[in-house]
Amino acid sequence: MASLRCFLRSGKNAVSAVLRREFHRTPPAAVQVTVRDALNQAMDEELERDERVFLLGEEVAQYDGAYKVSRGLWKKYGDKRIIDTPITEMGFAGIAVGAAMAGLRPICEFMTFNFSMQAIDQVINSAAKTYYMSAGLQPVPIVFRGPNGASAGVAAQHSQCFAAWYSHCPGLKVVSPWNAEDAKGLLKAAIRDDNPVVFLENELMYGVPFEISEEAQSKDFVIPIGKAKIERQGKHITLVSHSRMVGLCLDAAAVLAKEGIECEVINMRTIRPLDAEAIETSVMKTNHLITVEGGWPQFGVGAEILARLMEGPAFNYLDAPAVRVTGVDIPMPYAKILEDNSIPQIKDIIFSVKKTLNI
Amino acid sequence: MLTIISNVLRGSASRNGAELVSESSTLRYVLQLLAVQSECANLTAPHDHDPDPPSRLKDPQQPHSPSVSLPLTQIPSNTPVEYKTLGHTDVVSSEAVAQEESSVMSSGSSTSEELSIVSLLTERISERQKPVFEKIISPVIDVPPSPVLITVKSPATSLVELTPVVANSSSKVTSSDPLTSSCPLPAGSILGLDNSFPEITHSLAEETPLPEPQLAGARVVVSARTYADFTPQATFDIKKCDLHKLEDGPPLQAMLTREEGLQYYRTMQTMRRMELKADQLYKQKIIRGFCHLYDGQEACAVGIEAGINLSDHLITAYRAHGYTLTRGGTVREIMAELTGRRGGIAKGKGGSMHMYTKHFYGGNGIVGAQVPLGAGVALACKYLGKNELCVCLYGDGAANQGQIFETYNMASLWKLPCIFICENNKYGMGTSVERAAASTDYYKRGDFIPGLRVDGMDVLCVREATKFAAEHCRSGKGPILMELQTYRYHGHSMSDPGISYRTREEIQEVRSKSDPISMLKDRMLSNNMASVEELKEIDVEVRKEIEDAAQFATTDPEPPLDDLCNHIFYNDPPLEVRGTNPWTKLKSVS
């Protein structure tokens, strides 16, 4: 009886409902998952899948993670695989890299990427460059993950975006997910990747729920690193963004749609290697480009995208100069009003779109 | 003279109880000896402790291969004898017709042993350029003249034990292990199969029982002997190690077998020559950039490797050529890497500081960064449960780095099987230890980690300490720290002459008093574990190997430009890399 009701209510799920032979009232396909839980699931699944995978970082074990991302993992996997470290980033990042060299697959968590600066030598000189320096003898399969960029009220030393810094270096892959599906698929891909991957999360996104597709719930769901996704189709202008700013772009696009401006929103997903092709294809369609990011403008992600556009085939398709919407070029202040005005807001995006389109 | 001979006979009879050959032949030879002896007035015994005694034997050209028979032309004997090198188990019958080869030597026959010794001796003697009588003496060796070394049958020393243990390497690097390739077992060990030597333990405290001077004739004969006569192993006193948070330290005595000694000698000499060659090539501008030379510190690398297995792991800083060698790299690969050629161990892409082999993680340019890496390797060893450990080296300059203390903390907390080794060569670049460290007791700097201070110029001391440390780690007690007190002859790198912050006299003093290779050589020679000629022969071989390697390193082509962008990512599909301008798209494969 229940399955009949299912069938009547949502035809598209009928087959799956019948095949699964479950009796439940709600359509099973789309599930609401927060980014935090998606990350947790990804790590859980990968820890289960490969014995060599382990997690180390500050407070990841008994504290369940500083932001609760690794909740439950220590209880499930124990001390050997979920390791609490002392507050010694350079030391434990080096240990993680050494373990990767010797055959394990560590996930090294930085409580925020600001602290990764303590260990940046290990990330760049010991992890990123080693495969090249050894001419292919010594791979380093490691993931460095943690929250990146601005949070809320944490002030200057805890709000820097490191996407540009890490993306500068060959030998690293730099990934920046936006929603839950991104988070899960990309983290799984990063853990399975045999190369050093810097996985930039966002603290403000942790608690945001997203609908996650059927496919994304599978244990083998992996999003390829290096491929951007078009979140919203459009024809007047292309908005390229990563991480939390993708959400803002979509919100701005919704507002602009009411005025008849159709924005194409691209979620970069991976910063390095950059999916220039996706951006170029889109620009060749819309003829206008804006990049949106939370980090500082000088030598930032947007700067790189614009440079590539200039050097590539899409330049000829631009009807207006491509511009960047970025964080303000200052250390992050504390007071709410100041902080709010230090990072792009929806109104800034809308303003820039209209300027670019000369509206 | 007769008394001499009879003493010899009596001495040998009492010492070894071996059978004597037939009286008649003995007598004949004795008479011949007498005849000759009377002709030659001066016979001085060689100086035992002369570090470079005048060679009374010409260097054998091919000691390992069978030689043509050497007729004893001076001997008016009616027993033409064909003598062959004792590298083979052929035996020569003294009474036999000249050109016949006799049967395989049986280990049960003392006669055959003596004869084989005779043959060896003849081989040696015939190549000498010395007085006639010495050649004539050779037939006397029918009688076992040596009171010392040729003795009763004892179970043949297993050649297997003497072979260096080489872990089976299935790595991507197909480099041969230097311990087998560049250090072939010396001829002496070939003897080991059938010629068995009793275990004689010598200690530096006692006089090594070399033949007595009054048995001049016999003495000459003894010294003219070959591999059969050498002491198979000896025990040496080594310096006591200073201890920190340890009850007991490494043993105060180290046993060295002849084979080990020759192997260490060869490896150290290879290292020394290789570094000096690199110096030369750098001055010719064939090597560029950084070149940090290891000469003076050879005992550290060789001693450490002798204390661990190839299945263990090792990581060091930038003064890494020596370790690349002990860890499985060949001289050719190392030198070609220094000159940046495609035959280099990292295909020319790494250079001096970035050489890797299986279970050897370089070669690291950032001072101190290798220490956490090493602890990470140790973590993996513990995690994977393979009873391996990681040796993690750093210098006195790096010892003050914060990340090293972070590593001590974590290694100790998690009981990682890690041996931290500080190679204290007294200078961190140009800064002496007194000017850089508030506490120069580097072995104590681990605080809660037990430590030892070791004489790093003595390969045996390093080996014993490493074995002790390895035992500590493998038994699950956690990390341990070793400070090796050593010295580098060159400056910090090739751009540093090395004399602005230290005196030439200091360098000279260390070179003359504590050189690791000389120390080993002296030990071996004074205990009759090797002959001067043998060591010289090794030197010649090493020199040749280095020359060949240098030749290769200077003539091998540079890496192809196609290789420029390769090896960015592992196990990835090919990707496009931007060149120097937007129109240049280069290809990168894994």
Side-chain angles (χ1 to χ4, degrees):
Chain A
M1 193 57 213
S3 52
L4 183 62
R5 210 181 304 159
C6 270
F7 179 78
L8 293 171
R9 185 172 305 168
S10 49
K12 73 173 156 88
N13 294 316
V15 173
S16 46
V18 167
L19 285 177
R20 274 207 302 280
R21 288 145 54 110
E22 287 170 48
F23 297 109
H24 52 91
R25 293 185 190 88
T26 52
V31 171
Q32 292 267 327
V33 174
T34 59
V35 171
R36 175 184 287 118
D37 291 339
L39 293 167
N40 187 291
Q41 277 173 31
M43 285 200 285
D44 191 355
E45 287 166 13
E46 292 306 304
L47 281 159
E48 193 173 12
R49 177 179 177 268
D50 189 339
E51 263 183 18
R52 300 167 298 172
V53 177
F54 71 100
L55 172 67
L56 90 167
E58 293 155 13
E59 312 304 340
V60 294
Q62 296 187 17
Y63 199 86
D64 272 336
Y67 300 98
K68 306 295 179 226
V69 177
S70 53
R71 178 170 32 213
L73 295 180
W74 175 65
K75 277 216 179 68
K76 186 171 175 187
Y77 295 100
D79 280 332
K80 180 180 173 185
R81 304 190 64 197
I82 312 291
I83 305 176
D84 270 340
T85 64
I87 308 174
T88 49
E89 274 77 10
M90 200 167 185
F92 73 70
I95 284 181
V97 175
M101 287 183 180
L104 297 183
R105 304 187 73 91
I107 306 169
C108 177
E109 177 175 310
F110 291 119
M111 199 181 279
T112 73
F113 264 92
N114 301 285
F115 314 135
S116 76
M117 270 202 284
Q118 307 262 34
I120 200 166
D121 172 64
Q122 298 288 2
V123 177
I124 307 298
N125 281 319
S126 303
K129 297 180 184 173
T130 296
Y131 190 67
Y132 186 85
M133 291 194 299
S134 66
L137 290 176
Q138 182 61 71
V140 185
I142 189 170
V143 176
F144 297 100
R145 52 162 288 272
N148 175 60
S151 181
V154 292
Q157 291 181 345
H158 289 72
S159 306
Q160 187 169 338
C161 175
F162 287 85
W165 283 29
Y166 287 117
S167 302
H168 188 58
C169 303
L172 278 184
K173 295 187 183 180
V174 180
V175 167
S176 184
W178 165 55
N179 62 13
E181 208 165 294
D182 287 352
K184 186 168 181 202
L186 287 171
L187 185 54
K188 286 166 78 73
I191 295 169
R192 294 185 194 195
D193 200 304
D194 290 325
N195 297 287
V197 180
V198 170
F199 193 85
L200 304 170
E201 301 161 5
N202 189 298
E203 203 226 316
L204 295 172
M205 297 303 295
Y206 281 153
V208 178
F210 288 92
E211 236 175 56
I212 191 167
S213 69
E214 194 66 53
E215 191 202 353
Q217 289 166 51
S218 145
K219 284 196 175 171
D220 283 311
F221 172 66
V222 161
I223 292 179
I225 293 180
K227 287 269 163 281
K229 182 182 178 198
I230 300 177
E231 296 287 349
R232 182 188 200 280
Q233 293 281 349
K235 54 186 190 228
H236 297 124
I237 186 168
T238 303
L239 304 181
V240 179
S241 183
H242 72 97
S243 191
R244 181 167 164 269
M245 292 292 141
V246 174
L248 263 73
C249 287
L250 287 169
D251 293 342
V255 172
L256 287 164
K258 295 197 193 105
E259 297 178 40
I261 302 170
E262 293 301 322
C263 303
E264 179 146 297
V265 177
I266 298 184
N267 171 8
M268 287 174 74
R269 285 179 162 176
T270 304
I271 319 286
R272 185 177 181 110
L274 199 107
D275 192 354
E277 211 184 299
I279 300 173
E280 280 165 356
T281 311
S282 177
V283 168
M284 290 198 240
K285 185 170 76 172
T286 64
N287 310 119
H288 299 84
L289 176 73
I290 288 186
T291 68
V292 183
E293 66 188 296
W296 294 318
Q298 194 154 330
F299 305 107
V301 177
E304 174 63 19
I305 294 173
L306 263 50
R308 290 220 195 179
L309 211 66
M310 287 279 280
E311 291 179 348
F315 170 72
N316 292 307
Y317 291 77
L318 280 175
D319 287 344
V323 296
R324 308 164 287 172
V325 172
T326 68
V328 176
D329 205 5
I330 52 170
M332 181 66 70
Y334 167 67
K336 185 148 186 11
I337 186 172
L338 298 178
E339 188 183 57
D340 288 345
N341 284 283
S342 304
I343 47 172
Q345 302 175 52
I346 297 174
K347 65 176 170 67
D348 298 317
I349 302 174
I350 294 172
F351 175 78
S352 305
V353 167
K354 288 186 175 168
K355 275 291 228 183
T356 305
L357 291 172
N358 215 2
I359 295 167
Chain B
M1 276 303 167
L2 262 172
T3 48
I4 294 170
I5 306 306
S6 61
N7 279 344
V8 170
L9 291 178
R10 212 178 306 131
S12 56
S14 59
R15 286 287 197 114
N16 58 27
E19 294 173 42
L20 303 178
V21 294
S22 65
E23 285 283 333
S24 59
S25 56
T26 310
L27 196 52
R28 191 183 319 124
Y29 290 134
V30 163
L31 291 171
Q32 283 165 2
L33 169 64
L34 291 179
V36 169
Q37 288 278 25
S38 60
E39 289 172 27
C40 302
N42 289 329
L43 175 63
T44 48
H47 296 286
D48 296 331
H49 301 283
D50 179 357
D52 209 356
S55 167
R56 290 170 300 99
L57 295 174
K58 195 170 85 179
D59 282 340
Q61 295 302 312
Q62 286 173 316
H64 309 295
S65 55
S67 63
V68 183
S69 70
L70 305 153
L72 303 166
T73 50
Q74 279 88 357
I75 301 170
S77 153
N78 59 356
T79 57
V81 188
E82 181 153 341
Y83 296 103
K84 303 182 82 173
T85 322
L86 193 67
H88 309 270
T89 53
D90 291 281
V91 79
V92 183
S93 63
S94 60
E95 307 280 336
V97 176
Q99 271 47 353
E100 262 175 27
E101 294 198 7
S102 69
S103 57
V104 176
M105 172 167 64
S106 62
S107 48
S109 155
S110 60
T111 310
S112 57
E113 185 192 21
E114 293 145 33
L115 289 173
S116 54
I117 293 156
V118 174
S119 64
L120 262 180
L121 178 60
T122 313
E123 156 80 22
R124 293 293 229 153
I125 292 168
S126 62
E127 294 168 6
R128 268 187 294 150
Q129 305 141 332
K130 288 298 175 171
V132 162
F133 74 87
E134 288 176 328
K135 291 193 177 164
I136 294 171
I137 282 170
S138 55
V140 179
I141 310 312
D142 240 15
V143 171
S146 163
V148 180
L149 297 169
I150 308 309
T151 59
V152 295
K153 296 293 159 291
S154 45
T157 319
S158 160
L159 197 57
V160 176
E161 297 159 14
L162 304 175
T163 313
V165 175
V166 179
N168 208 6
S169 167
S170 57
S171 68
K172 294 186 208 185
V173 182
T174 51
S175 56
S176 53
D177 172 40
L179 298 179
T180 48
S181 65
S182 59
C183 308
L185 294 171
S189 57
I190 300 171
L191 302 176
L193 278 170
D194 286 295
N195 261 345
S196 40
F197 307 108
E199 302 223 341
I200 301 174
T201 302
H202 299 276
S203 138
L204 287 181
E206 310 162 17
E207 272 306 300
T208 44
L210 287 172
E212 296 311 306
Q214 77 272 18
L215 303 172
R219 180 188 195 74
V220 165
V221 158
V222 166
S223 328
R225 280 166 183 267
T226 55
Y227 310 117
D229 305 342
F230 294 123
T231 319
Q233 62 191 33
T235 305
F236 298 96
D237 285 337
I238 53 177
K239 261 198 212 148
K240 185 177 188 317
C241 296
D242 294 323
L243 302 176
H244 171 71
K245 297 232 164 100
L246 279 168
E247 288 296 315
D248 310 298
L252 296 171
Q253 293 197 318
M255 176 136 74
L256 179 71
T257 68
R258 195 179 112 82
E259 284 66 30
E260 284 171 351
L262 290 169
Q263 191 191 88
Y264 301 159
Y265 180 83
R266 183 182 286 265
T267 312
M268 290 203 284
Q269 192 71 291
T270 306
M271 230 180 262
R272 175 69 61 94
R273 294 259 136 243
M274 181 176 75
E275 296 295 77
L276 294 178
K277 186 48 115 172
D279 171 274
Q280 220 177 54
L281 291 175
Y282 194 94
K283 286 174 177 151
Q284 293 170 3
K285 297 200 185 344
I286 300 172
I287 297 179
R288 314 172 309 121
F290 288 126
C291 194
H292 305 89
L293 298 178
Y294 199 65
D295 53 319
Q297 300 185 216
E298 295 88 359
C300 297
V302 174
I304 289 169
E305 192 61 46
I308 58 175
N309 309 317
L310 270 175
S311 58
D312 291 319
H313 307 256
L314 191 139
I315 189 170
T316 183
Y318 45 76
R319 207 174 295 279
H321 307 159
Y323 290 99
T324 316
L325 190 69
T326 54
R327 284 262 107 195
T330 63
V331 183
R332 270 166 83 101
E333 285 174 327
I334 295 172
M335 300 210 74
E337 186 60 34
L338 290 174
T339 56
R341 307 303 164 106
R342 65 180 72 185
I345 202 166
K347 301 195 179 69
K349 292 169 103 165
S352 167
M353 298 189 295
H354 307 295
M355 301 191 189
Y356 301 80
T357 71
K358 188 168 171 79
H359 290 199
F360 174 57
Y361 305 89
N364 287 277
I366 307 296
V367 172
Q370 75 276 10
V371 179
L373 292 181
V377 173
L379 176 75
C381 291
K382 185 172 180 183
Y383 190 105
L384 295 168
K386 291 196 271 194
N387 197 27
E388 292 164 1
L389 53 81
C390 183
V391 175
C392 186
L393 293 127
Y394 56 95
D396 49 282
N400 301 312
Q401 274 260 322
Q403 54 187 320
I404 294 187
F405 293 90
E406 296 187 13
T407 309
Y408 290 158
N409 182 37
M410 284 185 272
S412 203
L413 259 181
W414 302 332
K415 293 220 173 344
L416 301 181
C418 196
I419 305 178
F420 295 109
I421 302 188
C422 177
E423 280 179 295
N424 179 3
N425 59 18
K426 321 253 182 323
Y427 297 93
M429 202 156 160
T431 309
S432 70
V433 293
E434 296 78 35
R435 294 202 303 130
S439 160
T440 53
D441 291 331
Y442 294 105
Y443 70 112
K444 289 186 183 166
R445 300 282 287 276
D447 190 13
F448 35 79
I449 296 184
L452 335 157
R453 182 157 54 191
V454 179
D455 177 7
M457 300 304 262
D458 178 355
V459 67
L460 293 177
C461 212
V462 176
R463 184 188 76 182
E464 292 309 310
T466 308
K467 281 186 181 162
F468 176 83
E471 170 56 39
H472 184 273
C473 282
R474 282 192 231 274
S475 61
K477 295 194 189 121
I480 187 168
L481 203 122
M482 274 167 54
E483 176 190 340
L484 301 180
Q485 296 195 302
T486 181
Y487 199 83
R488 57 168 159 82
Y489 296 145
H490 270 85
H492 163 73
S493 70
M494 286 306 301
S495 56
D496 169 27
I499 47 169
S500 60
Y501 47 88
R502 56 184 189 176
T503 60
R504 276 191 222 272
E505 288 74 41
E506 182 188 288
I507 307 173
Q508 262 315 104
E509 191 181 340
V510 176
R511 224 189 251 278
S512 56
K513 294 210 182 115
S514 326
D515 183 80
I517 301 177
S518 299
M519 267 173 43
L520 179 65
K521 185 173 173 180
D522 288 344
R523 273 183 167 151
M524 290 187 71
L525 289 177
S526 59
N527 285 279
N528 201 25
M529 294 177 82
S531 70
V532 173
E533 293 72 30
E534 196 177 5
L535 296 181
K536 277 220 170 66
E537 188 188 304
I538 294 179
D539 289 350
V540 165
E541 282 168 18
V542 164
R543 229 174 273 256
K544 178 160 194 315
E545 186 185 353
I546 305 297
E547 279 308 317
D548 284 346
Q551 179 63 18
F552 174 71
T554 46
T555 54
D556 198 39
E558 288 190 288
L561 275 180
D562 294 337
D563 205 33
L564 179 67
C565 297
N566 292 340
H567 310 119
I568 300 280
F569 293 129
Y570 175 54
N571 224 358
D572 243 32
L575 67 112
E576 206 174 69
V577 173
R578 186 188 193 276
T580 56
N581 58 63
W583 298 274
T584 313
K585 302 272 184 240
L586 303 169
K587 187 154 169 232
S588 169
V589 295
S590 284

